[in-house]
Amino acid sequence: MDTLPMKATEAQLLAPSEPDMSNPFLGESFRAIDLMTSASIARATFGFSPTAFWLAFADWGAHLAAAPGKRTELAVKADQKSMRLLTHMLQSILDPDTPWCIEPLPGDERFQDEAWQRWPHRFWAQAFLLTQQWWHNATHDVTGVSQHHEDVVSFAIRQWLDMASPANMLWANPETIQRTMETGGLNLLFGARNLAEDCHRLLMGQPPVGTEDFVVGRNVAVTPGKIVFRNHLIELIQYAPATNAVQAEPVLIVPAWIMKYYILDLSPANSLIRFLVERGHTVFCISWRNVTAEDRDLSLDDYRRFGVMAALDAVAAIVPDRKIHAAGYCLGGTILTLAAAAMAQDGDHRLASVTLFAAQTDFTEPGELQLFIDDSQIAFIEAMMWQHGTLEASQMSSAFQMLRSNDLIWSRMIHEYLMGEREPLNDLMAWNADATRMPYQMQSDYLRNLFLHNDLASGRYMVDGQPAVIQNIRVPILAVGTERDHVAPWRSVHKIHYLTDTDVTFVLTSGGHNAGIVSEPGHRGRYFRMLEKKPDDPCLSADEWYSVAPVRDGSWWPAWEAWLSAQTNSEPVAPPTMGAPIKGYPPLCDAPGSYVMQR
């Protein structure tokens, strides 16, 4: 009896001690191992989660294996397409004017040149298009596959096919063959020089060729103004008046922090800010700081408080006793909506109107960008940001380019490396290369709370302990969508109709996410649709809206400016002073300021 306690004590002394799992630092250490592992993998996969792709292909492959009917259908289609191609080949040998047996999809211009009509290039083009069509059938309508996984598999196969297109091959592309014969091979020499120059600039962290022709403060972002407020996150620009009298209510522009603000102040001829100033508006614009790893803990709410709300406080001090027209672009429009909803909850009535440029408030249908957003992919992105403290713009631009790989990757490579020609940059392209970063915590908040969980549209996003509900916004809203937007599809932007009980004017303009917004008067080929919905009007779906909204030629800018002016009954007044030194907002320096210069 006396020996048993001794043996138990000896066993306890000899047994290895267990770590205290309740220690939070120990749990963080284990998590850090996982994060470092994911970050290491991310460097090899260009930021894409291999697990997300594996899960998608496993879902598709397993259900396809369990669908003998679908496999039989695909086998029959493959046989039919083979016979269709063979028949076309024989017919085209007898008659070179035989129409193609399959036409490229709308927007696919790879085979538009007359040279593709000749043998054997037309055969290769037709074989490629039929193969592309077969793979579309193979990756769609497989019973049981989730919609997200179907989209991911289809996207991955499309990327592989685009890479293997005969248009990308020197020996198969009749245009590059003809160019090589005409120049005696000099095009390949010039293309090799272009490739070497691009690789050198990429390795050295330099911007693309041609960006040196567009210098901020010299020939872009040159509308006169002053920096009237600065904190750790923003500089606020007040633009100098261009008229003797101005509209009584000022305009505050909130650009996205994913981009430099001067997309709205490019060259003088296509500057939206200059356009407003010259028509008698007092314009303020936020210039976001290009954050570094030290800013990793800045949250989405910090961007609201120290960005939007701090700017509103400054504008209200400089132009007192006047309401403010606020306009937000892309992510800037999303956070402006969030801020406006929180202001409505708090009884803050400083806003006169809200304008949203290509900005989503409901993320249930965010377009092809959702291919890169699921729990696995977000965890992967968070691991990269955790290691570096920020998300680099190059990682974001890679995803955007892959959504339009034919236009933004392969066509450029053919033109510059096989044809040996350089396409000169314009101001919009040079701006696009002026990259910014996003802090770890803010991007994680945005991706999880807004994009993945859709908390803003669902009324679950909390600000100071209260839900920020878009339905509480009572000021008029004007929302702008663009027809070819791959970042904020216009049907998604249109969902603002379903979330509010106020006046909503929706504008749908030609162009894409950037070129559709930078749509100055006089730009050839521009058009737009515009329709207002009153609170008591029935709510139309996006397709119904499109069918009844009248088409108007030209730029939408004058229509927006007229809408802004119509929101106030005040008479024009003398321009306000630049800044308000007595109230703590003295002019600090000339526009465009210092934050926009940060690299």
Side-chain angles (χ1 to χ4, degrees):
M1 296 291 294
D2 295 336
T3 60
L4 289 176
M6 182 62 69
K7 289 182 179 179
T9 303
E10 290 175 353
Q12 293 173 355
L13 291 174
L14 292 175
S17 59
E18 294 184 0
D20 182 9
M21 298 305 294
S22 63
N23 187 336
F25 296 103
L26 188 60
E28 286 298 316
S29 299
F30 292 144
R31 182 171 181 270
I33 295 173
D34 293 339
L35 290 170
M36 286 188 290
T37 302
S38 296
S40 299
I41 297 173
R43 287 196 294 269
T45 62
F46 302 99
F48 298 105
S49 168
T51 304
F53 280 93
W54 182 88
L55 289 171
F57 273 90
D59 186 11
W60 170 72
H63 284 93
L64 183 61
K70 179 68 174 180
R71 297 200 309 274
T72 303
E73 177 191 359
L74 292 175
V76 171
K77 285 183 178 293
D79 181 68
Q80 291 175 340
K81 294 181 189 303
S82 298
M83 293 302 299
R84 187 174 166 188
L85 181 63
L86 178 61
T87 302
H88 172 76
M89 180 181 66
L90 295 175
Q91 289 177 342
S92 61
I93 291 175
L94 298 175
D95 181 8
D97 295 329
T98 300
W100 283 28
C101 64
I102 180 173
E103 292 294 329
L105 295 171
D108 185 352
E109 300 180 354
R110 287 174 290 186
F111 309 112
Q112 294 298 312
D113 193 272
E114 185 67 26
W116 285 101
Q117 298 295 331
R118 298 194 295 267
W119 182 265
H121 305 293
R122 65 154 43 199
F123 172 76
W124 293 334
Q126 295 285 272
F128 171 79
L129 292 173
L130 286 168
T131 302
Q132 179 179 257
Q133 188 181 67
W134 185 89
W135 274 107
H136 177 84
N137 294 329
T139 56
H140 288 78
D141 300 323
V142 179
T143 303
V145 179
S146 74
Q147 184 63 54
H148 177 66
H149 286 163
E150 179 182 287
D151 293 339
V152 171
V153 171
S154 178
F155 170 79
I157 294 295
R158 190 168 70 247
Q159 297 301 310
W160 172 72
L161 287 170
D162 287 344
M163 182 174 60
S165 167
N168 300 335
M169 302 174 187
L170 175 63
W171 56 269
N173 188 327
E175 299 175 69
T176 59
I177 293 173
Q178 183 176 347
R179 179 69 173 171
T180 303
M181 294 176 63
E182 290 174 350
T183 64
L186 286 177
N187 60 303
L188 301 180
L189 181 63
F190 295 152
R193 181 191 62 186
N194 292 341
L195 177 60
E197 186 174 25
D198 289 346
C199 290
H200 175 264
R201 284 176 173 260
L202 182 64
L203 292 173
M204 298 300 294
Q206 298 175 345
V209 175
T211 54
E212 59 274 6
D213 296 329
F214 300 94
V215 180
V216 174
R218 190 179 71 189
N219 52 1
V220 293
V222 294
T223 302
K226 298 286 186 182
I227 302 298
V228 294
F229 173 70
R230 179 188 293 126
N231 63 19
H232 182 72
L233 194 56
I234 69 167
E235 288 182 332
L236 182 65
I237 305 171
Q238 179 183 356
Y239 289 94
T243 55
N244 294 327
V246 297
Q247 294 289 335
E249 296 173 345
V251 177
L252 170 64
I253 296 177
V254 184
W257 50 89
I258 196 176
M259 57 178 72
K260 296 289 182 71
Y261 85 89
Y262 67 92
I263 186 175
L264 300 174
D265 187 28
L266 287 171
S267 305
N270 60 358
S271 167
L272 177 59
I273 289 172
R274 181 181 290 266
F275 173 83
L276 290 175
V277 170
E278 290 178 347
R279 278 152 185 79
H281 292 274
T282 299
V283 179
F284 296 80
C285 184
I286 289 174
S287 175
W288 298 98
R289 183 169 177 268
N290 196 1
V291 298
T292 65
E294 296 177 353
D295 304 303
R296 61 183 301 129
D297 294 326
L298 286 174
S299 67
L300 184 62
D301 196 57
D302 289 332
Y303 272 70
R304 179 191 67 86
R305 291 189 297 133
F306 302 119
V308 178
M309 300 310 297
L312 283 171
D313 291 341
V315 175
I318 296 170
V319 189
D321 303 321
R322 300 291 183 180
K323 292 195 173 185
I324 301 164
H325 299 285
Y329 188 3
C330 188
L331 293 179
T334 302
I335 200 168
L336 172 60
T337 306
L338 192 158
M343 291 170 69
Q345 178 72 31
D346 294 339
D348 186 338
H349 303 297
R350 287 180 291 175
L351 294 181
S353 71
V354 171
T355 299
L356 307 175
F357 302 149
Q360 297 181 93
T361 51
D362 184 305
F363 292 85
T364 52
E365 295 178 322
E368 289 187 319
L369 200 60
Q370 67 183 333
L371 293 166
F372 309 112
I373 305 298
D374 55 28
D375 288 294
S376 175
Q377 184 62 56
I378 289 180
F380 215 60
I381 294 173
E382 286 176 336
M384 291 190 301
M385 295 188 297
W386 172 83
Q387 185 178 50
H388 299 289
T390 62
L391 183 65
E392 296 294 328
S394 59
Q395 295 163 334
M396 295 178 289
S397 64
S398 296
F400 294 143
Q401 287 181 343
M402 291 182 71
L403 294 176
R404 299 174 57 199
S405 58
N406 279 338
D407 296 333
L408 301 180
I409 298 178
W410 301 116
S411 63
R412 173 178 171 270
M413 294 180 67
I414 293 169
H415 191 77
E416 297 195 356
Y417 303 152
L418 297 184
M419 305 293 282
E421 300 173 350
R422 280 285 194 194
E423 190 73 30
L425 263 67
N426 57 32
D427 51 7
L428 184 58
M429 296 165 67
W431 162 86
N432 194 53
D434 194 359
T436 59
R437 294 173 293 272
M438 292 192 288
Y440 163 59
Q441 187 60 55
M442 184 283 304
Q443 183 67 355
S444 178
D445 291 344
Y446 166 71
L447 291 177
R448 287 197 176 276
N449 298 332
L450 300 188
F451 208 111
L452 190 60
H453 298 151
N454 204 28
D455 285 349
L456 178 59
S458 302
R460 293 192 302 265
Y461 193 90
M462 306 298 288
V463 174
D464 296 332
Q466 297 291 328
V469 181
I470 298 177
Q471 195 174 22
N472 289 335
I473 299 174
R474 289 293 183 269
V475 298
I477 296 175
L478 184 141
V480 182
T482 63
E483 287 185 339
R484 299 195 306 274
D485 200 326
H486 293 266
V487 180
W490 77 265
R491 285 178 172 82
S492 181
V493 176
H494 177 271
K495 288 179 180 292
I496 188 66
H497 287 88
Y498 310 147
L499 304 175
T500 62
D501 292 330
T502 188
D503 288 0
V504 176
T505 301
F506 190 71
V507 176
L508 178 62
T509 181
S510 57
H513 187 71
N514 296 327
I517 300 302
V518 184
S519 181
E520 69 281 2
H523 196 127
R524 293 180 58 187
R526 296 297 186 182
Y527 59 88
F528 66 98
R529 290 173 167 83
M530 185 173 183
L531 197 64
E532 181 183 12
K533 176 191 172 298
K534 295 291 186 180
D536 294 335
D537 292 341
C539 190
L540 303 178
S541 69
D543 291 335
E544 290 172 330
W545 183 95
Y546 188 87
S547 66
V548 300
V551 180
R552 299 163 63 173
D553 291 331
S555 167
W556 59 271
W557 289 8
W560 176 52
E561 192 278 327
W563 180 88
L564 281 176
S565 299
Q567 304 310 312
T568 178
N569 296 320
S570 302
E571 294 295 324
V573 298
T577 61
M578 297 297 290
I582 297 178
K583 298 180 180 179
Y585 298 98
L588 302 175
C589 64
D590 290 334
S594 59
Y595 283 3
V596 72
M597 305 294 185
Q598 295 172 336
R599 296 293 184 265

